[in-house]
Amino acid sequence: MLCEVIAEFITRRYSGKVVEVGIGYHHCVAKKLIQKGFKVVATDFKEIEVPDGVEFFADDIMSPDLRIYRGASLIYSIRPPLELYPYIVSVAKAVNADCLIRPFGNEFAVDGELINYKGERFYLWRR
């Protein structure tokens, strides 16, 4: 996965606040977005140490606190489990944000638009 490519796609289309769902221990996209001046908020189901400049909340995407996500132009997730896709997309719709999901492998999202950007593929749902 090329973090730089995903971060470039996001920086060319979005601004302000973005939220990464399920940040885990791979912070490369969040770091790039911080460097580009984004307000990056990250969530995960348990406490995770995140890079400086990233605002973190422990949150269960299956029962989300929508206050965390409000005001975001984009909700994104890097390699989440397939079963979480509908929850992530639902949160994005609830707060009127676009949604970007970079699949782990060859998972297929039925209703998302498949994007191939500079060799990196991901799904996009527009608000």
Side-chain angles (χ1 to χ4, degrees):
M1 179 186 70
L2 300 172
C3 299
E4 299 82 13
V5 174
I6 294 173
E8 178 185 303
F9 180 88
I10 293 171
T11 58
R12 290 185 174 200
R13 288 159 181 79
Y14 301 96
S15 61
K17 177 181 174 181
V18 295
V19 180
E20 180 168 346
V21 174
I23 193 166
Y25 299 101
H26 301 284
H27 309 132
C28 58
V29 174
K31 286 180 186 176
K32 299 275 184 208
L33 295 175
I34 288 287
Q35 292 170 357
K36 296 290 186 178
F38 281 80
K39 176 181 181 179
V40 179
V41 175
T43 68
D44 210 305
F45 70 96
K46 63 180 181 176
E47 290 292 328
I48 300 283
E49 191 171 321
V50 295
D52 289 341
V54 175
E55 187 176 357
F56 178 81
F57 295 93
D59 192 53
D60 180 356
I61 195 66
M62 294 188 298
S63 181
D65 179 350
L66 291 179
R67 294 174 295 185
I68 296 167
Y69 307 89
R70 285 196 183 103
S73 60
L74 177 71
I75 310 295
Y76 72 96
S77 189
I78 308 298
R79 304 182 328 172
L82 181 61
E83 60 270 16
L84 294 184
Y85 286 25
Y87 296 101
I88 299 166
V89 172
S90 177
V91 166
K93 287 180 181 178
V95 298
N96 196 32
D98 283 5
C99 182
L100 182 151
I101 295 178
R102 194 318 185 156
F104 182 76
N106 292 321
E107 299 92 348
F108 182 73
V110 176
D111 58 347
E113 175 187 358
L114 179 61
I115 304 288
N116 186 330
Y117 183 77
K118 296 186 177 183
E120 189 63 49
R121 63 179 179 73
F122 43 84
Y123 289 97
L124 185 66
W125 290 261
R126 299 176 200 271
R127 52 184 152 215

